[in-house]
């Protein structure tokens, strides 16, 4: 994202998605979503690149405790679980996000507080 590659920007700026952040140090997961409300996947992931937490409560606490450069940049891996075009209703994406949180138990054992 920081390299501003045109093919990446084009692929991510108009996509909605459910994504996964894996903490490779301890195995904890964070499931998130990118919708039109938060300006699609490019903007959502740009938020993580900027501060390491994207505004998420649990991740914000982790960044404050362990550091963005020392921990997040070293141990976080980003993946797309499901990809949607911009015309899919945000409600569908939010429902799928919740399903993934339940399935992966990221509320109980990971970084999802909600």
């Amino acid at each position: 994202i920081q390299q501003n590659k045109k093919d990446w920007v084009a692929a991510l700026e108009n996509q909605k998605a459910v994504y996964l952040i894996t903490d490779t140090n301890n195995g904890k997961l964070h499931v998130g979503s990118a919708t039109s409300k938060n300006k699609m996947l490019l903007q959502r992931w740009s938020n993580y690149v900027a501060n390491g937490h994207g505004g998420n409560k649990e991740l914000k606490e982790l960044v404050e405790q362990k550091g963005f450069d020392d921990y997040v940049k070293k141990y976080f891996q980003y993946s797309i679980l499901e990809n949607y075009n911009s015309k899919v209703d945000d409600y569908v994406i939010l429902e799928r996000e919740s399903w993934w949180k339940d399935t992966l138990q990221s509320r109980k054992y990971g970084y999802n507080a909600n």
Side-chain angles (χ1 to χ4, degrees), residues 20-29 52 59 62 66-78 111:
L20 177 68
I21 301 173
T22 302
D23 183 333
T24 61
N25 184 53
N26 61 22
K28 286 187 175 183
L29 305 174
L59 296 180
L62 182 71
K66 298 194 177 194
F68 181 42
D69 290 329
D70 294 336
Y71 195 85
V72 172
K73 286 184 178 181
K74 186 175 181 180
Y75 294 115
F76 277 23
Q77 176 182 324
Y78 301 83
Y111 292 124

Side-chain angles (χ1 to χ4, degrees), residues 31-83:
V31 176
S33 64
T35 62
S36 57
K37 179 182 176 187
N38 50 35
K39 301 181 183 174
M40 308 298 200
L41 190 54
L42 179 65
Q43 183 59 49
R44 193 72 193 105
W45 279 8
S46 294
N47 293 337
Y48 289 106
V49 169
N51 61 27
H53 57 74
N56 293 287
K57 178 186 172 198
E58 300 282 328
L59 296 180
K60 191 173 186 178
E61 290 174 9
L62 182 71
V63 170
E64 290 171 1
Q65 292 172 2
K66 298 194 177 194
F68 181 42
D69 290 329
D70 294 336
Y71 195 85
V72 172
K73 286 184 178 181
K74 186 175 181 180
Y75 294 115
F76 277 23
Q77 176 182 324
Y78 301 83
S79 309
I80 297 172
L81 295 172
E82 296 183 6
N83 193 38

Side-chain angles (χ1 to χ4, degrees), residues 1-6 8-9 49:
I1 289 177
Q2 289 177 322
Q3 295 175 1
N4 202 27
K5 292 185 175 186
K6 292 183 189 288
W8 279 59
V9 169
V49 169

